[in-house]
């Protein structure tokens, strides 16, 4: 059953600076989500079309295998006007051009040390050999030149924009040069391994590879970002998918009778064929973990959760594989050593249950901090952010910036650990239970649904030997899709800062219910690495067609998403569920919308109407 929810969002920015941005690390598309992080530590860029394989680098697909594009907001659907569609096309191109500038700067940062390294290669004390340099920087120069030429050709088209402008031929040419990317992909694993070995063998190269400087956009003055060579080597891999996604969005906003439409279509065809060819040539076992039976154990989902262990809160990284759930923590390692995970426990999915505890079972008391303590910490973090911005402008403020960042990271991590209060309990059928605390019912339902979907398959219980467990835990570092603790201090300055100010939301209605129910909605926004419930509608009783038409003004602090959850209100107290912290209301559906739709300059108010499906797989209209 699909549930459709209608809400109008008006964003009022309180800051003088612009807070509506495309992710400057790369084009996001209308609904694309980047599952990669700055460290880019995958072993191979496997481009998998299966929804359960990770890491993923693929074009979104429908169940029949056809590539699909994220559905536009309601006002951009056919009938929204050709002029409006072409304006959106310009907005998409502007965002992509801005991300191209960042990408070119990243490639230049990667090439910068190559020249001096080549110069020392023929001396008596070389840092790297000529062969090592060729392997690590293979095809980077060619890729950089391709994108500089593309950027220089695209820029005047946007500056002199009108409805007759065509850009499809530029994307056709870009797609025709994907053979260079193919060569880069084939060499990617060897390049990473060579860079890692050279870092371990040469302290000078290690310092160079860990502290590459990426220039910011032209309008960001002299701002630079420090990033590792390993992370930069992943950027071309990531760019292939992003370029394909932008073609989907451009086609969506180009009339079929426009001369640009067949050109863009052809560029998309070439790009998709390229991704398919990579899929066919790369063995998925390279990125999957093989079970003793020879089957591929694949990573389905991972993320940071707070576990209640020994009456205290511990931040864990939880990995859901196709046949088991593994809970790990990051091990402390010496400087220069790669980080690794330590397994705390695992449960085969065949043994995992969600049943409610019996009356005789003990339920640990969940200590919830007073709201004022959490608010005080938020204020401290806000003050630190302001101090960091001031120090960045100071002539010699960089060393102090690093100290302030470290302090802010500690405070944000504390807030991330102490804020969640919604329990998510899992049980081993042999009697052991584990308790996580989550900040939102949304995440809890996503974890539960992902596990239950896998449990529908014919699973067998497994017992891992110490060696097998060590191998599996080691693989987590390379297979993970969520790389860093979700706090702002872990993000580069070039990443989208989200929205600050007030989000004006009107909750209109919901459709698609087959039986009458007492229905209400809650609204959540993200801040400081977790989601907070900010508003709740009244209960619309005994209906299949609720019309709340309620208006809310929600304060946002660096928020990037608005979540909508729809519940059926339960008035029967006999249905109390202890395991869910006395939450007895049934979730009927959920969805989310990105709260920064595009880049808005010198515009204090941005208004969009969203239609979003409140099902297990939300779509946005």
């Amino acid at each position: 059953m699909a549930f459709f929810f209608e809400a109008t969002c008006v964003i009022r920015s309180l800051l003088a600076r612009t807070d509506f941005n495309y992710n400057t690390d790369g084009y996001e598309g209308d609904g694309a989500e980047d599952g990669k992080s700055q460290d880019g530590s995958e072993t191979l860029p496997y481009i998998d079309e299966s929804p359960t394989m990770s890491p993923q680098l693929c074009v979104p697909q429908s169940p029949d295998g056809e590539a699909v594009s994220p559905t536009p907001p309601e006002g951009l659907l056919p009938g929204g006007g050709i002029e409006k569609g072409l304006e959106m096309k310009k907005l998409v191109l502007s965002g992509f051009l801005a991300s191209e500038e960042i990408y070119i700067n990243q490639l230049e940062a990667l090439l910068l040390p190559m020249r001096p390294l080549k110069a020392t290669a023929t001396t008596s004390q070389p840092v790297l050999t000529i062969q090592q340099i060729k392997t690590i920087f293979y095809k980077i120069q060619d890729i950089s030149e391709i994108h500089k030429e593309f950027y220089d050709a695209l820029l005047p088209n946007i500056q002199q924009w009108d409805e007759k402008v065509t850009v499809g031929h530029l994307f056709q040419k870009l797609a025709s040069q994907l053979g260079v990317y193919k060569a880069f992909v084939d060499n990617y694993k060897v390049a990473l391994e060579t860079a890692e070995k050279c870092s371990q063998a040469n302290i000078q190269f290690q310092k160079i590879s860990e502290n590459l400087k990426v220039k910011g956009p032209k309008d960001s003055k002299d701002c630079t970002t420090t990033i590792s060579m390993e992370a930069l080597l992943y950027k071309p891999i990531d760019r292939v998918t992003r370029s394909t996604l932008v073609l989907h969005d451009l086609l969506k906003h180009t009339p079929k009778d426009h001369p640009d439409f067949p050109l863009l279509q052809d560029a998309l065809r070439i790009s998709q064929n390229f991704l398919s060819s990579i899929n066919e040539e790369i063995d998925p076992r390279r990125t999957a973990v093989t079970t003793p039976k020879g089957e591929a154990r694949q990573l389905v989902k991972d993320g940071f959760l707070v576990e209640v262990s020994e009456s205290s809160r511990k931040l864990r990284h939880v990995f859901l594989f196709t046949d088991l759930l593994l809970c790990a923590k990051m091990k402390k390692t010496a400087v220069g050593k790669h980080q690794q995970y330590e397994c705390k426990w695992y449960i085969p999915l065949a043994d995992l249950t969600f049943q409610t505890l019996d009356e005789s079972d003990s339920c640990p008391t969940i200590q919830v901090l007073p709201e004022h303590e959490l608010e005080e910490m938020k204020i401290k973090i806000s003050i630190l952010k302001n101090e960091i911005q001031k120090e960045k402008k100071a002539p010699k403020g960089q060393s102090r910036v690093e100290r302030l960042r470290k302090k802010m990271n500690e405070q944000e991590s504390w807030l991330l650990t102490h804020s969640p209060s919604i329990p998510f309990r899992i049980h081993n059928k042999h009697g052991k239970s584990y308790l996580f605390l989550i900040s939102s019912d949304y995440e809890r339902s996503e974890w539960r649904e992902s596990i239950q979907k896998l449990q529908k398959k014919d699973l067998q219980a497994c017992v891992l030997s110490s060696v097998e467990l060590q191998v599996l835990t080691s693989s987590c570092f390379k297979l993970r899709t969520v790389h860093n603790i979700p706090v702002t201090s872990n993000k580069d300055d070039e990443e989208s800062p989200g929205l600050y100010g007030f989000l004006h939301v009107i909750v209109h209605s919901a459709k698609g219910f087959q039986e009458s129910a007492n229905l209400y909605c809650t609204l959540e926004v993200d801040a400081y690495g977790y989601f907070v419930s900010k508003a709740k509608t009244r209960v619309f009783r005994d209906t299949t067609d609720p019309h709340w038409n309620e208006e809310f003004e929600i304060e946002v602090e660096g928020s990037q998403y608005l979540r909508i959850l729809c519940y059926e209100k339960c008035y029967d107290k006999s249905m109390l569920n202890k395991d869910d912290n006395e939450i007895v209301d049934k979730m009927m559906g959920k969805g989310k919308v990105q709260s920064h739709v595009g880049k808005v300059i010198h515009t204090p108010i941005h208004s969009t109407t969203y239609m979003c499906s409140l099902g297990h797989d939300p779509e946005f209209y």
Side-chain angles (χ1 to χ4, degrees):
M1 180 191 299
F3 299 95
F4 295 93
F5 171 89
E6 185 179 1
T8 302
C9 302
V10 181
I11 302 159
R12 292 189 178 94
S13 176
L14 291 183
L15 302 188
R17 63 183 175 82
T18 302
D19 281 321
F20 301 86
N21 292 298
Y22 282 94
N23 182 338
T24 50
D25 188 36
Y27 175 74
E28 287 292 350
D30 283 350
E33 290 188 6
D34 184 12
K36 305 297 175 190
S37 183
Q38 293 294 343
D39 71 354
S41 53
E42 276 66 356
T43 54
L44 267 179
Y46 179 68
I47 306 173
D48 182 40
E49 298 174 18
S50 162
T52 60
M53 172 62 78
S54 176
Q56 289 182 345
L57 179 58
C58 60
V59 181
Q61 293 191 339
S62 64
D64 60 5
E66 291 293 319
V68 297
S69 178
T71 312
E74 184 184 24
L76 307 179
L77 286 169
I82 293 175
E83 184 178 342
K84 189 172 183 180
L86 290 172
E87 275 301 305
M88 278 303 300
K89 181 179 177 180
K90 181 185 177 183
L91 179 65
V92 169
L93 284 169
S94 298
F96 188 67
L97 187 73
S99 71
E100 272 289 292
E101 183 185 352
I102 293 295
Y103 180 51
I104 291 169
N105 289 345
Q106 291 166 343
L107 294 173
E108 287 180 345
L110 194 54
L111 289 169
L112 193 61
M114 185 179 73
R115 298 175 185 92
L117 286 170
K118 278 185 176 180
T120 66
T122 54
T123 66
S124 59
Q125 292 183 317
V127 178
L128 300 181
T129 66
I130 289 292
Q131 185 56 49
Q132 287 170 335
I133 294 170
K134 286 182 178 179
T135 301
I136 294 171
F137 299 96
Y138 186 67
K139 295 297 180 182
I140 297 296
Q141 184 73 54
D142 294 340
I143 292 173
S144 178
E145 289 173 1
I146 287 170
H147 282 271
K148 282 180 182 177
E149 183 182 345
F150 174 78
Y151 179 92
D152 291 339
L154 183 60
L155 179 60
N157 283 281
I158 297 175
Q159 290 175 334
Q160 302 166 15
W161 181 262
D162 64 47
E163 64 180 24
K164 296 180 181 178
V165 166
T166 60
V167 294
H169 61 291
L170 301 178
F171 282 90
Q172 273 183 318
K173 185 176 180 180
L174 188 65
S176 69
Q177 295 169 309
L178 284 172
V180 178
Y181 275 88
K182 173 66 169 64
F184 176 86
V185 169
D186 289 343
N187 182 70
Y188 177 71
K189 182 182 178 184
V190 180
L192 281 185
E193 290 174 347
T194 304
E196 182 177 355
K197 289 177 182 177
C198 292
S199 290
Q200 293 172 353
N202 189 300
I203 189 69
Q204 190 176 352
F205 180 73
Q206 182 186 350
K207 289 179 180 178
I208 292 171
S209 64
E210 289 179 352
N211 296 282
L212 296 177
K213 303 292 183 183
V214 179
K215 292 188 300 183
K218 294 173 185 175
D219 57 0
S220 64
K221 298 182 180 179
D222 296 322
C223 178
T224 60
T225 302
T226 301
I227 191 169
S228 70
M229 182 175 290
E230 186 180 12
L232 286 177
L233 283 171
Y234 185 76
K235 298 301 178 182
I237 303 296
D238 191 39
R239 200 66 188 169
V240 179
T241 296
R242 293 179 184 277
S243 299
T244 306
L245 286 172
V246 78
L247 286 167
H248 278 288
D249 288 340
L250 289 174
L251 278 168
K252 193 164 52 184
H253 302 304
T254 303
K256 289 187 177 181
D257 58 355
H258 194 283
D260 218 16
F261 192 88
L263 302 177
L264 292 170
Q265 238 182 357
D266 187 57
L268 179 60
R269 178 188 59 79
I270 297 170
S271 298
Q272 288 177 324
N273 285 342
F274 171 77
L275 293 182
S276 296
S277 69
I278 296 296
N279 281 348
E280 291 169 2
E281 293 179 20
I282 295 178
D283 184 351
R285 286 175 296 181
R286 286 174 170 174
T287 50
V289 181
T290 305
T291 66
K293 295 181 179 180
E295 301 166 346
R297 176 179 289 130
Q298 300 167 354
L299 180 64
V300 177
K301 179 180 177 67
D302 69 294
F304 288 93
L305 298 178
V306 176
E307 183 186 14
V308 178
S309 176
E310 298 176 352
S311 300
S312 62
R313 294 171 179 241
K314 310 283 187 181
L315 191 62
R316 306 296 196 204
H317 201 149
V318 181
F319 296 85
L320 175 60
F321 289 93
T322 43
D323 65 336
L324 60 85
L325 186 76
L326 186 147
C327 178
K329 77 167 187 176
M330 190 70 76
K331 291 170 65 175
K332 292 183 179 179
T333 55
V335 177
K337 296 287 186 180
H338 270 306
Q339 290 180 309
Q340 291 292 333
Y341 287 108
E342 173 189 338
C343 176
K344 301 305 295 182
W345 50 264
Y346 74 92
I347 302 180
L349 297 188
D351 293 341
L352 190 151
T353 63
F354 295 108
Q355 80 269 17
T356 304
L357 291 174
D358 294 329
E359 291 292 335
S360 58
D361 291 330
S362 59
C363 183
T365 303
I366 300 171
Q367 296 293 334
V368 179
L369 286 180
E371 187 63 31
H372 70 87
E373 289 191 28
L374 299 177
E375 290 302 320
E376 287 171 5
M377 184 58 77
K378 291 179 184 179
I379 293 170
K380 290 179 181 178
I381 294 170
S382 181
I383 292 171
L384 278 175
K385 284 182 180 178
N386 291 333
E387 288 184 31
I388 289 171
Q389 293 302 319
K390 290 177 183 177
E391 290 297 329
K392 282 182 183 176
K393 298 174 183 177
K396 298 181 180 179
Q398 194 58 41
S399 60
R400 178 165 161 75
V401 166
E402 293 306 314
R403 291 197 299 272
L404 291 172
R405 278 188 181 279
K406 184 178 180 182
K407 186 175 181 181
M408 188 171 80
N409 181 277
E410 292 171 353
Q411 293 185 350
E412 286 192 303
S413 296
W414 181 93
L415 192 62
L416 183 68
T417 305
H418 289 83
S419 297
S421 60
I422 298 177
F424 174 51
R425 190 186 306 279
I426 58 175
H427 309 272
N428 185 318
K429 68 180 183 181
H430 302 297
K432 181 69 175 175
S433 65
Y434 302 91
L435 174 63
F436 292 106
L437 296 178
I438 299 179
S439 63
S440 168
D441 205 12
Y442 192 104
E443 273 102 3
R444 179 170 62 176
S445 67
E446 285 198 327
W447 278 99
R448 190 190 296 263
E449 289 162 8
S450 297
I451 291 171
Q452 290 174 333
K453 183 177 180 180
L454 292 170
Q455 288 180 323
K456 291 179 180 178
K457 301 175 182 178
D458 183 22
L459 297 173
Q460 294 181 351
C462 60
V463 178
L464 302 183
S465 68
S466 58
V467 174
E468 291 168 344
L469 185 58
Q470 185 178 0
V471 170
L472 179 62
T473 307
S474 297
S475 73
C476 289
F477 189 82
K478 294 182 178 181
L479 291 177
R480 63 193 173 150
T481 61
V482 181
H483 295 74
N484 295 317
I485 297 172
V487 293
T488 55
S489 51
N490 273 340
K491 295 181 179 179
D492 285 344
D493 293 336
E494 65 183 45
E495 289 191 63
S496 172
L499 298 171
Y500 292 82
F502 289 90
L503 186 68
H504 190 192
V505 183
I506 303 174
V507 181
H508 293 299
S509 60
K511 297 178 181 178
F513 298 96
Q514 296 181 355
E515 296 181 3
S516 294
N518 304 311
L519 302 167
Y520 69 92
C521 291
T522 62
L523 304 177
E524 298 178 345
V525 291
D526 55 321
Y528 302 99
Y530 62 95
F531 277 82
V532 180
S533 182
K534 289 284 190 176
K536 178 181 176 181
T537 68
R538 72 186 188 281
V539 179
F540 210 96
R541 295 198 175 214
D542 196 24
T543 182
T544 58
D545 188 23
H547 287 77
W548 295 281
N549 294 318
E550 289 190 59
E551 195 169 331
F552 303 95
E553 195 165 75
I554 300 172
E555 185 175 5
V556 288
E557 304 165 286
S559 302
Q560 296 189 23
Y561 290 96
L562 168 70
R563 284 178 174 173
I564 307 107
L565 297 89
C566 185
Y567 290 91
E568 178 184 5
K569 183 70 177 176
C570 179
Y571 294 100
D572 184 357
K573 298 302 180 183
S574 66
M575 297 179 66
L576 179 69
N577 188 338
K578 293 191 316 176
D579 205 27
D580 284 349
N581 200 23
E582 299 188 1
I583 295 175
V584 295
D585 298 340
K586 179 183 178 183
M587 184 188 293
M588 303 299 289
K590 63 185 188 298
K592 68 179 179 181
V593 289
Q594 212 165 349
S595 55
H596 58 294
V597 178
K599 190 172 184 180
V600 179
I601 303 174
H602 305 308
T603 306
I605 298 177
H606 182 67
S607 176
T608 306
T609 298
Y610 299 97
M611 277 290 271
C612 62
S613 166
L614 289 174
H616 297 323
D617 299 301
E619 296 177 0
F620 305 107
Y621 298 85

